[in-house]
Amino acid sequence: MSTPMNKLLIAVAAVAFLGVAPPAGAAEAPEVPEQDWSFSGMFGTFERGALRRGLQVYREVCASCHSLSLIAFRNLGDVGFSPDEIQAIAEEYEVEDGPDDEGEMFMRPAKASDRFVPPFANEQAARASNNGALPPDLSLMIKARKNGANYLYGLLIGYVEEAPEDVEMMEGMYYNKVFPGHQIAMAPPLFEEAVEYADGTEATLDQEAHDVVTFLAWAAQPELEERKRLGVKVLLFLIVLTAMLYAVKRKIWSDVH
Amino acid sequence: MANTVSTSPEHSGEGETRRDFLLIATSTVGVIGTALAVWPFIDSMNPAADTLALATTGVDISAIEDGQRITVVWRGKPVFIDHRTAAVIEAAESVPMEDLPDPEPDSARAEKPEWLVVVGVCTHLGCIPLGQKPSDPRGEFGGWFCPCHGSHYDTSGRIRKGPAPANLPVPPYEFVDDSTISIG
Amino acid sequence: MEAKTWKNPVIAWIDDRLPVFSMMQAELVDYPTPKNLNYWWNFGSLAGIVLVIMIATGIMLAMQYTAHVDYAFESVERIMRDVNYGWLLRYLHTNGGSMFFIVVYIHFFRGMYYGSYRAPRELLWIIGVFILLAMMATSFMGYVLPWGQMSFWGATVITNLFSAIPLVGEAIVTWLWGGFSVDNPTLNRFFALHYLLPFIIFALVFVHLWALHVKKSNNPLGIDVKGPQDTLPFTPYYTIKDTFGLGVFMIVYLAFVFFAPDFFGEPDNYIKANPMQTPPHIVPEWYFLPYYAILRAITFDIWFVSAKLIGVILMFASILILLFLPWLDRSPVRSAKFRPIYKQLFWVFFADCIILGVVGGNAPEGAWVPIGQAATFYYFAHFLIIIPLLGKFEKTRTPPTSISAAVTHGGIGTKVKEAAE
């Protein structure tokens, strides 16, 4: 039988064959270790403990160089932080407000509606403090890299003390197994006991990387849980409706066939 | 055979009722689904989370002198704050209820009598009444006067004369301390 | 057609003065449709519905979007994070764009397989090509609006195509940009046009349908309708079939929206546009990849014409050539069902388009360059050599005399039925 479907399969197979034999010369991205994430899959949710620990890692480690400009403190309410906790976190930051009645700008403690305060006033200041490199904003990092969560996890645990002998390291760069080109300006940010977890979890490098990636995955797609919950309901509804439509179609066409 | 297809009602029978039931059930499910799908479109026009989060305004009232009125912005609208003098409070409290188109005692409108907080939007068609600046006309009752269609409000922000149907609304607010009000 | 009398006096009153109800009755209910259409015929009405979904979600998004280089990226993220169901509307819109192209491309390939472009439906086909062109312009400009890295660099690269035009190229590019690089004026005009073009598409779709209803639908046998025994009224037969198809389509579409919303997207577009840094690997959206491969296929000058200009010309030609298809094909029959060689070569052509897409998605180096050149050559050869030659030399089989004959006598009719079920 040569139905169009069979032909389609043949065509696709031909292309797939072509696809698996990539021509030489294309620089392949390094392998990234696949991890099991609480937020993957159809019913995935962000593990709340990991989120809290990840926030702690971000605030105590990453935040000294990386901004998180799209996240407001109030957003933490979506993942189980109480208004008092949010208030307490916000008040640890100072934001500029004003002008006041005298026309002066002034500093005040942050409110829940304020965003996380960036570590540097502007790009130039950030570069000046980081040997000319610009630490990127982390709000969308997980979506802004291919296979984002696994990539970032691999990057965080992927530092190697001694670069392979055939690699000539540039001044101020660090060797990383996962980073494209392997030379990264960021010093290894995480290590054993880099933080002391509030919930008593042992702060291994692996645990820290896992937690901060979970936190950043939430920061990049805060709608994820609502999206998946709604998606399951919508698809179930559509499958039922479509089955009914098929039955009606069969019924109506029965006098033609 | 196929060219004798008929959809006329006399073609009815057992199969026909089953088809009708199926058609009605499917249409119902389809219509419900479509109706539900419209909601996200409508809801997207409601205030967004960031808009709602900014719905609280803090006001420092320590510098407002006796008899002075100031205007602050809350949810994009003007809010009038009037530091009322004893004489004004007295006048507002002594108005007989039967003189009011929208009866409301002054005590119900001001948490602390010396501070009146009202949304400065005329309840007629949304203009901003005059009376905040000392040079403004304040209408026949010493409160506010809306120039658009001539509504007069008294010193408690209550409608007394003109087309407006209701008193100037009192926004939700609380005294955080003696010198700060949080509106919203 | 005799005028129908309406029982409801209000409807009768309106219909007497403006016969909208008679028109709807004639075009949506009574419209005689070939009885043997298979499921490949669902994609036309699907495309129309996707257009409506795109316009509806697009209008809601436009209410929240800010077309300014300083705010565009943040305003899109505000839609994703703060606007009620903003993420749903945006993901419906971005994935809807991809779905629109999938549906329309299938619609095109169906037309090519069954010879729907052949006389007397040439104009119908040509309007369809113009709809495709308008869709491409719309989606290109829409992709710029989020002002991510791919938005910015895609806009830069594509607008720069026009610089290949001799003499006035540079002036045209400057005019397109409204400045000396892709910047705020560019973003603003792209937003204005992105909002305008869908309504032009809507008008074109209306004309497309009008032309369809004059000459009526083609069918898998590619033969003309001989009489009422060959057709069914559009309602209820094809309304229910289209609605069922819509249900299946929505399951696929929404599965992407809810569970893999960034599947068709590029990670780089979640990085805000940076005019000082080009991403290492710029690729257009998947539906432009074959044309992108054709654009890059020419790596050599021919006489005094630069490689750049030839690439640009070929890219536009790859779509415009479709306009001539009705006259390039001189075969005595329309449908590939009765064209044993064309039937095979159709799938070769389909595979060629996919190969061009794969080439377009890879960096132009190594073996991809000659593969892209060969695939580009074959693409044009299909239209300019293979189709005209087949029209002359292919031994076609004889189609049945009528649709109802084919259906009644089993054989092809049963096959049609199988394909439909």
Side-chain angles (χ1 to χ4, degrees), chain A residues 37-39 46-59 62 68 71-72 75-76 79 81 116 138-139 142 152 208-222:
Chain A
W37 298 105
S38 57
F39 48 86
F46 297 108
E47 188 203 329
R48 293 297 186 266
L51 273 181
R52 280 174 180 267
R53 292 191 298 273
L55 172 66
Q56 192 184 345
V57 174
Y58 168 75
R59 291 180 63 202
C62 320
L68 194 65
I71 310 296
N75 294 138
L76 296 170
V79 283
F81 284 78
F116 273 89
L138 295 183
S139 319
I142 299 294
L152 190 59
E208 290 165 4
H210 183 272
D211 292 342
V212 80
V213 167
T214 304
F215 172 70
L216 291 178
W218 166 76
Q221 37 195 346

CSV table of all heavy atoms in Angstrom, one decimal, chain A residues 37-39 46-59 62 68 71-72 75-76 79 81 116 138-139 142 152 208-222:
chain,number,residue,atom,x,y,z
A,37,TRP,N,14.3,16.5,37.5
A,37,TRP,CA,13.9,17.7,38.1
A,37,TRP,C,12.4,17.6,38.6
A,37,TRP,O,11.6,17.0,37.9
A,37,TRP,CB,14.0,18.9,37.2
A,37,TRP,CG,15.4,19.2,36.7
A,37,TRP,CD1,15.9,18.9,35.5
A,37,TRP,CD2,16.4,19.8,37.5
A,37,TRP,NE1,17.3,19.3,35.5
A,37,TRP,CE2,17.6,19.8,36.7
A,37,TRP,CE3,16.5,20.3,38.8
A,37,TRP,CZ2,18.8,20.3,37.2
A,37,TRP,CZ3,17.7,20.8,39.3
A,37,TRP,CH2,18.8,20.8,38.5
A,38,SER,N,12.2,18.2,39.7
A,38,SER,CA,10.8,18.1,40.3
A,38,SER,C,9.8,18.8,39.4
A,38,SER,O,8.6,18.5,39.4
A,38,SER,CB,10.8,18.8,41.7
A,38,SER,OG,11.2,20.1,41.6
A,39,PHE,N,10.3,19.7,38.5
A,39,PHE,CA,9.3,20.5,37.7
A,39,PHE,C,9.2,20.0,36.3
A,39,PHE,O,8.5,20.7,35.5
A,39,PHE,CB,9.8,22.0,37.7
A,39,PHE,CG,11.2,22.2,37.4
A,39,PHE,CD1,11.7,22.3,36.1
A,39,PHE,CD2,12.2,22.3,38.4
A,39,PHE,CE1,13.0,22.5,35.8
A,39,PHE,CE2,13.5,22.5,38.2
A,39,PHE,CZ,13.9,22.6,36.8
A,46,PHE,N,7.4,22.7,41.4
A,46,PHE,CA,8.7,23.1,42.1
A,46,PHE,C,8.7,22.6,43.5
A,46,PHE,O,7.8,22.9,44.3
A,46,PHE,CB,8.8,24.6,42.0
A,46,PHE,CG,8.9,25.2,40.7
A,46,PHE,CD1,7.8,25.9,40.2
A,46,PHE,CD2,10.0,25.0,39.8
A,46,PHE,CE1,7.9,26.5,38.9
A,46,PHE,CE2,10.0,25.5,38.6
A,46,PHE,CZ,9.0,26.2,38.1
A,47,GLU,N,9.7,21.8,43.8
A,47,GLU,CA,9.8,21.3,45.2
A,47,GLU,C,10.1,22.5,46.1
A,47,GLU,O,11.0,23.2,45.9
A,47,GLU,CB,11.0,20.3,45.2
A,47,GLU,CG,11.1,19.6,46.6
A,47,GLU,CD,12.5,19.0,46.8
A,47,GLU,OE1,13.2,18.7,45.9
A,47,GLU,OE2,12.9,19.0,48.0
A,48,ARG,N,9.2,22.6,47.1
A,48,ARG,CA,9.2,23.9,47.9
A,48,ARG,C,10.5,24.0,48.7
A,48,ARG,O,11.0,25.1,48.8
A,48,ARG,CB,8.0,23.9,48.8
A,48,ARG,CG,6.6,24.1,48.0
A,48,ARG,CD,6.6,25.4,47.3
A,48,ARG,NE,5.3,25.7,46.7
A,48,ARG,CZ,5.0,25.4,45.4
A,48,ARG,NH1,5.9,24.8,44.6
A,48,ARG,NH2,3.8,25.7,44.9
A,49,GLY,N,11.0,22.9,49.3
A,49,GLY,CA,12.2,23.0,50.1
A,49,GLY,C,13.4,23.4,49.2
A,49,GLY,O,14.1,24.3,49.6
A,50,ALA,N,13.5,22.9,48.0
A,50,ALA,CA,14.6,23.2,47.1
A,50,ALA,C,14.5,24.7,46.7
A,50,ALA,O,15.5,25.4,46.6
A,50,ALA,CB,14.5,22.4,45.8
A,51,LEU,N,13.2,25.2,46.5
A,51,LEU,CA,13.0,26.6,46.2
A,51,LEU,C,13.6,27.5,47.3
A,51,LEU,O,14.3,28.5,47.1
A,51,LEU,CB,11.5,26.9,46.0
A,51,LEU,CG,11.0,26.7,44.6
A,51,LEU,CD1,9.5,27.0,44.6
A,51,LEU,CD2,11.7,27.5,43.6
A,52,ARG,N,13.2,27.2,48.6
A,52,ARG,CA,13.7,28.0,49.7
A,52,ARG,C,15.2,28.0,49.8
A,52,ARG,O,15.8,29.0,50.0
A,52,ARG,CB,13.0,27.5,51.0
A,52,ARG,CG,11.6,28.0,51.2
A,52,ARG,CD,11.0,27.3,52.4
A,52,ARG,NE,9.6,27.9,52.5
A,52,ARG,CZ,9.3,28.9,53.2
A,52,ARG,NH1,10.2,29.5,53.9
A,52,ARG,NH2,8.0,29.4,53.2
A,53,ARG,N,15.7,26.8,49.7
A,53,ARG,CA,17.2,26.7,49.8
A,53,ARG,C,17.9,27.4,48.6
A,53,ARG,O,18.9,28.0,48.7
A,53,ARG,CB,17.6,25.2,49.8
A,53,ARG,CG,17.2,24.5,51.1
A,53,ARG,CD,17.9,23.1,51.1
A,53,ARG,NE,17.5,22.2,50.1
A,53,ARG,CZ,16.4,21.4,50.1
A,53,ARG,NH1,15.6,21.4,51.1
A,53,ARG,NH2,16.2,20.6,49.1
A,54,GLY,N,17.2,27.2,47.4
A,54,GLY,CA,17.8,27.9,46.2
A,54,GLY,C,17.8,29.4,46.4
A,54,GLY,O,18.7,30.1,45.9
A,55,LEU,N,16.7,29.9,47.0
A,55,LEU,CA,16.6,31.4,47.2
A,55,LEU,C,17.8,31.8,48.1
A,55,LEU,O,18.5,32.8,47.9
A,55,LEU,CB,15.3,31.8,47.8
A,55,LEU,CG,15.2,33.2,48.3
A,55,LEU,CD1,15.2,34.2,47.2
A,55,LEU,CD2,13.9,33.4,49.1
A,56,GLN,N,18.0,30.9,49.1
A,56,GLN,CA,19.1,31.3,50.0
A,56,GLN,C,20.5,31.3,49.3
A,56,GLN,O,21.3,32.2,49.5
A,56,GLN,CB,19.2,30.2,51.2
A,56,GLN,CG,20.1,30.6,52.3
A,56,GLN,CD,20.1,29.6,53.4
A,56,GLN,OE1,19.3,28.6,53.4
A,56,GLN,NE2,21.1,29.7,54.3
A,57,VAL,N,20.7,30.3,48.4
A,57,VAL,CA,21.9,30.2,47.7
A,57,VAL,C,22.0,31.5,46.8
A,57,VAL,O,23.1,32.1,46.7
A,57,VAL,CB,22.0,28.9,46.8
A,57,VAL,CG1,23.3,29.0,45.9
A,57,VAL,CG2,22.0,27.7,47.7
A,58,TYR,N,20.9,31.8,46.1
A,58,TYR,CA,21.0,33.0,45.2
A,58,TYR,C,21.4,34.2,46.1
A,58,TYR,O,22.3,35.0,45.7
A,58,TYR,CB,19.6,33.2,44.5
A,58,TYR,CG,19.6,34.6,43.9
A,58,TYR,CD1,20.4,34.9,42.7
A,58,TYR,CD2,19.0,35.7,44.5
A,58,TYR,CE1,20.4,36.1,42.2
A,58,TYR,CE2,19.1,37.0,44.0
A,58,TYR,CZ,19.8,37.2,42.8
A,58,TYR,OH,19.9,38.4,42.3
A,59,ARG,N,20.7,34.4,47.2
A,59,ARG,CA,20.9,35.6,48.0
A,59,ARG,C,22.3,35.7,48.6
A,59,ARG,O,22.9,36.7,48.6
A,59,ARG,CB,19.9,35.8,49.1
A,59,ARG,CG,18.5,36.0,48.5
A,59,ARG,CD,17.5,36.2,49.6
A,59,ARG,NE,17.8,37.3,50.5
A,59,ARG,CZ,17.3,37.4,51.7
A,59,ARG,NH1,16.6,36.5,52.3
A,59,ARG,NH2,17.6,38.5,52.4
A,62,CYS,N,25.0,34.1,44.6
A,62,CYS,CA,24.9,34.6,43.2
A,62,CYS,C,24.7,36.1,43.2
A,62,CYS,O,25.2,36.9,42.4
A,62,CYS,CB,23.7,34.0,42.5
A,62,CYS,SG,23.5,32.2,42.7
A,68,LEU,N,18.5,39.9,39.5
A,68,LEU,CA,17.3,39.1,39.2
A,68,LEU,C,16.2,40.1,39.0
A,68,LEU,O,15.2,40.1,39.7
A,68,LEU,CB,17.1,38.2,40.5
A,68,LEU,CG,16.1,37.0,40.4
A,68,LEU,CD1,16.7,36.0,39.5
A,68,LEU,CD2,15.9,36.4,41.8
A,71,ILE,N,12.1,39.7,39.1
A,71,ILE,CA,11.4,39.1,40.2
A,71,ILE,C,11.1,40.2,41.3
A,71,ILE,O,12.1,40.8,41.7
A,71,ILE,CB,12.2,37.9,40.8
A,71,ILE,CG1,12.6,37.0,39.7
A,71,ILE,CG2,11.3,37.2,41.9
A,71,ILE,CD1,11.5,36.3,39.0
A,72,ALA,N,9.9,40.3,41.7
A,72,ALA,CA,9.5,41.1,42.8
A,72,ALA,C,9.4,40.2,44.1
A,72,ALA,O,9.1,39.0,44.0
A,72,ALA,CB,8.2,41.8,42.6
A,75,ASN,N,6.4,38.1,44.5
A,75,ASN,CA,6.3,36.8,43.7
A,75,ASN,C,6.6,35.6,44.6
A,75,ASN,O,6.1,34.5,44.3
A,75,ASN,CB,7.3,36.9,42.5
A,75,ASN,CG,7.0,37.9,41.5
A,75,ASN,OD1,7.8,38.6,41.0
A,75,ASN,ND2,5.7,38.1,41.2
A,76,LEU,N,7.4,35.8,45.6
A,76,LEU,CA,7.7,34.6,46.5
A,76,LEU,C,6.4,34.1,47.1
A,76,LEU,O,6.4,32.9,47.5
A,76,LEU,CB,8.7,35.0,47.6
A,76,LEU,CG,10.1,35.5,47.1
A,76,LEU,CD1,10.9,36.1,48.2
A,76,LEU,CD2,10.8,34.3,46.5
A,79,VAL,N,4.9,30.8,45.8
A,79,VAL,CA,5.5,29.5,46.1
A,79,VAL,C,5.6,29.3,47.6
A,79,VAL,O,6.6,28.7,48.1
A,79,VAL,CB,6.9,29.3,45.4
A,79,VAL,CG1,6.7,29.0,44.0
A,79,VAL,CG2,7.8,30.6,45.6
A,81,PHE,N,5.8,31.4,50.4
A,81,PHE,CA,6.3,32.3,51.4
A,81,PHE,C,5.1,33.2,52.0
A,81,PHE,O,4.3,33.6,51.2
A,81,PHE,CB,7.3,33.3,50.8
A,81,PHE,CG,8.7,32.6,50.6
A,81,PHE,CD1,8.9,31.8,49.5
A,81,PHE,CD2,9.7,32.8,51.5
A,81,PHE,CE1,10.1,31.2,49.3
A,81,PHE,CE2,10.9,32.2,51.3
A,81,PHE,CZ,11.1,31.4,50.2
A,116,PHE,N,13.8,42.5,43.3
A,116,PHE,CA,15.1,42.2,43.8
A,116,PHE,C,16.1,43.3,43.4
A,116,PHE,O,16.1,43.7,42.2
A,116,PHE,CB,15.6,40.9,43.4
A,116,PHE,CG,15.2,39.8,44.3
A,116,PHE,CD1,14.0,39.1,44.0
A,116,PHE,CD2,15.9,39.4,45.4
A,116,PHE,CE1,13.6,38.1,44.9
A,116,PHE,CE2,15.5,38.3,46.2
A,116,PHE,CZ,14.3,37.7,45.9
A,138,LEU,N,19.8,36.8,36.0
A,138,LEU,CA,19.4,35.4,36.1
A,138,LEU,C,17.9,35.1,35.9
A,138,LEU,O,17.5,34.0,35.9
A,138,LEU,CB,19.9,34.9,37.4
A,138,LEU,CG,21.5,34.9,37.6
A,138,LEU,CD1,21.8,34.2,38.9
A,138,LEU,CD2,22.1,34.1,36.4
A,139,SER,N,17.1,36.2,35.8
A,139,SER,CA,15.6,36.0,35.8
A,139,SER,C,15.2,34.9,34.8
A,139,SER,O,14.3,34.2,35.0
A,139,SER,CB,14.9,37.3,35.5
A,139,SER,OG,15.5,38.3,36.2
A,142,ILE,N,17.2,30.2,32.8
A,142,ILE,CA,16.9,28.8,32.5
A,142,ILE,C,16.2,28.7,31.1
A,142,ILE,O,16.4,27.7,30.4
A,142,ILE,CB,15.9,28.2,33.5
A,142,ILE,CG1,16.6,28.2,34.9
A,142,ILE,CG2,15.5,26.8,33.2
A,142,ILE,CD1,17.8,27.3,35.0
A,152,LEU,N,22.7,24.6,33.3
A,152,LEU,CA,23.2,25.4,34.4
A,152,LEU,C,23.7,24.5,35.5
A,152,LEU,O,24.7,24.9,36.1
A,152,LEU,CB,22.0,26.3,34.9
A,152,LEU,CG,22.4,27.4,35.9
A,152,LEU,CD1,23.5,28.3,35.3
A,152,LEU,CD2,21.2,28.2,36.3
A,208,GLU,N,23.6,22.3,46.5
A,208,GLU,CA,23.5,23.7,46.2
A,208,GLU,C,23.1,24.0,44.8
A,208,GLU,O,22.2,24.8,44.5
A,208,GLU,CB,24.8,24.4,46.6
A,208,GLU,CG,25.1,24.4,48.1
A,208,GLU,CD,26.6,24.7,48.3
A,208,GLU,OE1,27.3,25.0,47.4
A,208,GLU,OE2,27.0,24.7,49.5
A,209,ALA,N,23.8,23.3,43.9
A,209,ALA,CA,23.6,23.5,42.5
A,209,ALA,C,22.1,23.1,42.1
A,209,ALA,O,21.4,23.8,41.4
A,209,ALA,CB,24.6,22.7,41.6
A,210,HIS,N,21.7,22.0,42.7
A,210,HIS,CA,20.4,21.5,42.4
A,210,HIS,C,19.3,22.5,42.9
A,210,HIS,O,18.4,22.8,42.2
A,210,HIS,CB,20.2,20.1,43.1
A,210,HIS,CG,18.9,19.5,42.9
A,210,HIS,ND1,17.8,19.8,43.6
A,210,HIS,CD2,18.5,18.7,41.9
A,210,HIS,CE1,16.8,19.1,43.2
A,210,HIS,NE2,17.1,18.4,42.1
A,211,ASP,N,19.6,23.0,44.1
A,211,ASP,CA,18.6,24.0,44.7
A,211,ASP,C,18.5,25.3,43.9
A,211,ASP,O,17.4,25.8,43.7
A,211,ASP,CB,18.9,24.2,46.1
A,211,ASP,CG,18.7,23.0,47.0
A,211,ASP,OD1,18.0,22.0,46.5
A,211,ASP,OD2,19.3,22.9,48.1
A,212,VAL,N,19.7,25.8,43.6
A,212,VAL,CA,19.6,27.1,43.0
A,212,VAL,C,19.1,27.0,41.5
A,212,VAL,O,18.4,27.9,41.0
A,212,VAL,CB,21.0,27.8,43.0
A,212,VAL,CG1,21.9,27.3,41.9
A,212,VAL,CG2,20.9,29.3,42.9
A,213,VAL,N,19.3,25.9,40.9
A,213,VAL,CA,18.7,25.7,39.6
A,213,VAL,C,17.2,25.6,39.7
A,213,VAL,O,16.4,26.2,38.9
A,213,VAL,CB,19.3,24.4,38.9
A,213,VAL,CG1,18.4,24.0,37.7
A,213,VAL,CG2,20.7,24.7,38.5
A,214,THR,N,16.7,24.9,40.7
A,214,THR,CA,15.2,24.8,40.9
A,214,THR,C,14.7,26.2,41.1
A,214,THR,O,13.6,26.6,40.6
A,214,THR,CB,14.9,23.9,42.1
A,214,THR,OG1,15.5,22.6,41.9
A,214,THR,CG2,13.4,23.8,42.3
A,215,PHE,N,15.4,27.0,41.9
A,215,PHE,CA,14.9,28.4,42.2
A,215,PHE,C,14.9,29.2,40.9
A,215,PHE,O,13.9,29.9,40.6
A,215,PHE,CB,15.8,29.0,43.2
A,215,PHE,CG,15.5,30.5,43.4
A,215,PHE,CD1,14.3,30.9,44.1
A,215,PHE,CD2,16.4,31.5,43.0
A,215,PHE,CE1,14.1,32.2,44.2
A,215,PHE,CE2,16.1,32.8,43.2
A,215,PHE,CZ,15.0,33.2,43.8
A,216,LEU,N,15.9,29.1,40.1
A,216,LEU,CA,16.0,29.9,38.9
A,216,LEU,C,15.0,29.4,37.8
A,216,LEU,O,14.5,30.2,37.0
A,216,LEU,CB,17.4,29.9,38.3
A,216,LEU,CG,18.4,30.7,39.2
A,216,LEU,CD1,19.8,30.6,38.6
A,216,LEU,CD2,18.0,32.1,39.4
A,217,ALA,N,14.7,28.1,37.9
A,217,ALA,CA,13.7,27.6,37.0
A,217,ALA,C,12.3,28.2,37.3
A,217,ALA,O,11.6,28.5,36.4
A,217,ALA,CB,13.6,26.0,37.1
A,218,TRP,N,12.1,28.3,38.6
A,218,TRP,CA,10.8,29.0,39.0
A,218,TRP,C,10.9,30.5,38.5
A,218,TRP,O,9.9,31.0,38.0
A,218,TRP,CB,10.6,28.9,40.5
A,218,TRP,CG,9.6,29.9,41.0
A,218,TRP,CD1,8.2,29.7,40.8
A,218,TRP,CD2,9.8,31.1,41.6
A,218,TRP,NE1,7.6,30.8,41.3
A,218,TRP,CE2,8.5,31.7,41.8
A,218,TRP,CE3,10.9,31.8,42.0
A,218,TRP,CZ2,8.4,32.9,42.4
A,218,TRP,CZ3,10.8,33.1,42.6
A,218,TRP,CH2,9.5,33.6,42.8
A,219,ALA,N,12.0,31.1,38.8
A,219,ALA,CA,12.1,32.5,38.4
A,219,ALA,C,11.9,32.8,36.9
A,219,ALA,O,11.3,33.7,36.5
A,219,ALA,CB,13.5,33.1,38.8
A,220,ALA,N,12.3,31.8,36.1
A,220,ALA,CA,12.2,32.0,34.6
A,220,ALA,C,10.8,31.6,34.2
A,220,ALA,O,10.3,32.2,33.2
A,220,ALA,CB,13.2,31.0,33.9
A,221,GLN,N,10.1,30.7,34.9
A,221,GLN,CA,8.7,30.4,34.4
A,221,GLN,C,7.8,30.2,35.6
A,221,GLN,O,7.3,29.1,35.9
A,221,GLN,CB,8.8,29.1,33.6
A,221,GLN,CG,9.8,28.1,34.0
A,221,GLN,CD,10.0,27.0,33.0
A,221,GLN,OE1,9.3,26.9,32.0
A,221,GLN,NE2,11.1,26.3,33.2
A,222,PRO,N,7.5,31.3,36.3
A,222,PRO,CA,6.7,31.2,37.5
A,222,PRO,C,5.3,30.7,37.2
A,222,PRO,O,4.5,30.3,38.1
A,222,PRO,CB,6.6,32.7,38.0
A,222,PRO,CG,7.0,33.5,36.8
A,222,PRO,CD,7.9,32.7,36.0
